[in-house]
Amino acid sequence: MSPATARPRAPRAWPLVRGGFTARFHDLTYAMAAAALVPLFTTHVLSWLWVVPCGLVLGWGYLADTGRVRRLDHRAFWIVVTALVAVWVALQIPSADTRFTGFIRLLLYLQAYRLLNLKRNREYVQVHLLAFFQILVTTALSPNFSIAPLLFVFMVTSTWALMALTLKRGIENELEFTAPGRAAAIPIGAPSPADRLVAPRYLAGTAVIALGTFLVTFPIFYAIPRIGTGFFLSPLVATKLVTGFNEEVLLGAVGELETSGGLAMRIQLEDPAKLPLLGDIRHIRGVALNQYDGKGRWRNTLRKTVKPPRSQNPFLERDFQVGRGPGRRPVVAYTVYLEPIGTSALFGFPVPFQVLVNSEHIRIDSSGSIALPRVPGSTLSYTVQSYVEQFDPERLRLAGADYDEEIRTNYLGVYPDMDPRVGDLAREITAGAVSPYDKAVAVRDHLERNYVYTTELARDRRFLPLEDFLFVQKRGHCEYFASAQAMLLRAIGVPTRLVNGFLQGEWNPLGGYLIVQQSDAHSWTEVYFPGSGWVMFDPSPRSIATPEETQTTAASAVHFLDAIRMGWNRYVLAFTASDQRNAFERMMQVTSSSRLLRGSDPFKWITHTFQGRGGGAGAKGVVGGVVIVVALAIAAWNLFASPRGLGRKRSKRSSPDAEAALATSFYREMVRVLAKKGIPKSPAATPREFSAEVRGLGSEAAEAVERLTRLVEGVRYAGRSPAEDEWRSARADLAAVERSRKVVSAERRPVARAARAAAPPERPAAR
């Protein structure tokens, strides 16, 4: 066979389905529904037992659409099921713990009902909308990098399914034009004009479109003005995790965290070179507790002060002054990405003096504990500046024991009925010590040398917890060490308090940040010295410095994966208004050497526009900002999307698709009117054959029908663009068809069939 007569090679067949475009469209729809369902189970809000009913729904709906099983379309059945589901969901609404879970289950039921009753195109659109809502719920419940691959799979499959749905509707419109009523009768797997079109190249092309859509929307995501921390980090579900960082803590709560897994936070230093300033042992302070009841319960009884921010701009994080300035002491700036661990406390390296966080106010007490007004339900990011306090031991020895009334009242009390042996042991340990500082060192060293650190606790219920630790077990975790030092020092008149937080963390050199696990939870004590303030003492053997471990290949891989997750949280989920401002400032620094921008400061102008009196965002400023954003959007449209943008010439022609749709609507109306006049169009008849049949019946509208048929053929098949007077003539022809008389003579039917047979064959020009 010569090259000139060689038959063109057909696209490679679809390898995974039965065949036919309708079957492929059916498979893509269910693949999209499954891709939206799987990420929802990774949030752990639904039990994995739900996989069974969800899988049955997908399987039954898939088989029912192909006719292999019976469709569940009994109206009475669905009325009963819907009523039961409505009652079930309504019972979950009053409880805050189950309200959102009830909404998710309702969403799943609606999707199940829709998948089991798929018939019309609008029902397929509803499947797409419900799948999209499932993805929104997933991103809100699980804002971490682990779901990113699943989201990409959904994005690709949904693009495939949407484009296939659009193609299906186009095919049905085409069939409706040539044979009204035929499109609805095409079963899944039947031949279709698009069977050769949807091939592997179709999948590859639509996947490229999905990737292109992502790349186009990526800069838009970063340019959208932020108000707060973003939709993805909104607390949709209250956390149920209970930790040792509240105002009332039971002895052992931090110890439970020490044996648990899971991430607590990541801390990214603004300047990683300042990490050595934090010392060999890094303590991350959380809450301070001042009262112990002897039965294992610590409390914070200090009065909380509500502190408003220094700035009120809703587009930026609020700036809170939480302590005195650093003076000449070294300062470390860092950002904390706190996971939802069930506490409102804000953590930081001692001693914080400035916090930037998106909150209307914070609560702070005289112990330096900082907390939000409510417990965050998702990852929280905030920026802290702390100064590093360096104490001189000789100065602490000379501090004396002249304590004011607040210190005596809050930090010298012991619990009722304390065993006298506690005081005797304290005096025995500090027999050779003179100053409060030497006494604190002596107690710390005694506990480190003579007691064993362990998380596997034994308990003798005949004794109170602390006495059992000191005189019976002589082993325990950090809370027991810290509580023992606090009570021993208080027994001899040295003011002490307990502090709960985290210890050390693991440095990730690839990302330049600290990884703090829940197992790093820790307790220590702070001792008060007049003139110097509170000084940290950690009696736990766990706090003894150990050499840094050599970086292994496995550890490098773990750090690499965690750095990817950190980047996802940092630059996607937690990208805030301050980040936008910093990025804009860096852009201005890069372009500041330009002659065009020299001598101007547009960022100050934008900031002034958004701010009202006193630095806040006034109504005028917000409206002005919205106007600016809208104006920029209109300008971008005119430049890049409008047909007149970037030097494009304005065309007087309408869109070819719009013209084809208009011509088709004329033809459909003509067919509908002629059917009422006694001339129904046969599904097997082409437009030209139908025109010949109308003429053969001697209808008054024969000439008008011929002109309308030529118009539609020219627009749809030849790509011709009619002039305005032709559209006016088409409207006049349609009116003439409506005015024509009804055809009732049956004896002229053979004449019509003969005329149709004599009609010239249709060979429409390629579009």
Side-chain angles (χ1 to χ4, degrees), residues 15 24 47 183 205 209 232 234 293 326 373 440 511 556 572 608 623 633 649 708 712:
R24 299 166 190 176
S47 169
I209 292 175
F232 292 105
S234 58
D293 65 357
S556 299
V572 177
H608 176 73
V623 173
K649 294 182 179 180
L708 285 172
V712 173

Side-chain angles (χ1 to χ4, degrees), residues 14 16 21 24-32 35 128 152-168 198-211:
W14 184 287
L16 301 178
F21 164 73
R24 299 166 190 176
F25 162 74
H26 171 256
D27 295 338
L28 290 175
T29 301
Y30 277 86
M32 181 273 301
H128 282 271
F152 182 77
V153 171
F154 171 77
M155 181 175 65
V156 173
T157 55
S158 62
T159 304
W160 289 343
L162 279 173
M163 294 190 70
L165 177 59
T166 304
L167 188 58
K168 175 177 178 289
V198 182
R201 286 180 294 180
Y202 165 83
L203 294 181
T206 49
V208 171
I209 292 175
L211 181 61

Side-chain angles (χ1 to χ4, degrees), residues 50 57 78 81-82 85-86 89 102-118 123 126-131 133-134:
W50 280 81
V57 167
W78 285 111
V81 173
T82 303
V85 171
V89 173
F103 167 74
I104 296 173
R105 291 168 179 170
L106 177 61
L107 194 63
L108 290 178
Y109 168 73
L110 293 175
Q111 185 69 296
Y113 170 77
R114 197 70 283 165
L115 288 173
L116 294 174
N117 293 274
L118 272 177
E123 294 167 353
Q126 293 169 9
V127 170
H128 282 271
L129 291 176
L130 290 170
F133 280 122
Q134 292 177 28

Side-chain angles (χ1 to χ4, degrees), residues 108-150:
L108 290 178
Y109 168 73
L110 293 175
Q111 185 69 296
Y113 170 77
R114 197 70 283 165
L115 288 173
L116 294 174
N117 293 274
L118 272 177
K119 297 178 182 178
R120 294 180 288 272
N121 286 334
R122 65 181 183 184
E123 294 167 353
Y124 283 96
V125 174
Q126 293 169 9
V127 170
H128 282 271
L129 291 176
L130 290 170
F132 177 71
F133 280 122
Q134 292 177 28
I135 290 297
L136 283 183
V137 170
T138 301
T139 55
L141 293 176
S142 182
N144 54 65
F145 181 74
S146 61
I147 66 169
L150 298 176

